[in-house]
Amino acid sequence: MPIPSEIPEKEESADIFQNSSATTGSNVVGEGKRKNCVLRCLLDGGSQVAFIREDISKKLGLPSKGYSNLNIHTFAEKNSKHWHQRKVELTLRNINDPDKFITLDVIEVPLITTADHQMQK
């Protein structure tokens, strides 16, 4: 996936992921105060936390809902890392049926993943 500065102006796409092993992927419209854009997202209704990249949150102008404290434990680290990240409100709307939408509180993070992935056309 290109870094934000490499995303062409005409292409308004980004990623949002919800933390879970059982996810469903789809394209949706992310709605913000400043603008809307098509987002590729992975959602799981059973997850406890959802994330969005900071740059996309700011681009959309998502309203702040306070802050969240997270303790991140990874396999490669002996100690957890503490994050104090902004929580924002994001509305996702079905591309094919605009009457269907969901509003979520999501946590801004600078980066979701560095893994390469290919979007299906």
Side-chain angles (χ1 to χ4, degrees):
M1 180 172 155
I3 58 174
S5 61
E6 294 174 348
I7 296 175
E9 284 297 317
K10 292 180 183 176
E11 180 184 327
E12 296 294 339
S13 64
D15 295 326
I16 178 172
F17 295 88
Q18 191 155 1
N19 184 25
S20 176
S21 59
T23 57
T24 303
S26 61
N27 290 327
V28 295
V29 175
E31 299 180 349
K33 288 184 175 181
R34 290 192 196 117
K35 67 188 320 182
N36 298 343
C37 72
V38 175
L39 303 173
R40 176 72 179 157
C41 64
L42 296 173
L43 295 173
D44 176 17
S47 293
Q48 296 175 350
V49 180
F51 300 97
I52 187 168
R53 283 189 355 223
E54 254 179 295
D55 61 320
I56 300 305
S57 174
K58 291 185 185 337
K59 185 177 193 177
L60 291 171
L62 298 179
S64 180
K65 302 282 285 187
Y67 286 83
S68 285
N69 292 307
L70 301 171
N71 288 312
I72 308 297
H73 300 268
T74 63
F75 292 109
E77 302 291 329
K78 290 183 180 182
N79 299 316
S80 66
K81 293 182 182 179
H82 181 77
W83 284 6
H84 183 73
Q85 298 294 125
R86 192 167 84 115
K87 188 175 6 174
V88 296
E89 183 177 280
L90 172 65
T91 298
L92 301 175
R93 191 167 298 276
N94 187 308
I95 289 177
N96 300 317
D97 186 355
D99 291 334
K100 293 182 181 177
F101 67 92
I102 186 171
T103 300
L104 304 166
D105 287 346
V106 297
I107 298 172
E108 288 181 338
V109 292
L111 180 67
I112 301 287
T113 182
T114 57
D116 276 340
H117 65 281
Q118 299 289 325
M119 290 181 64
Q120 294 181 2
K121 294 182 181 185

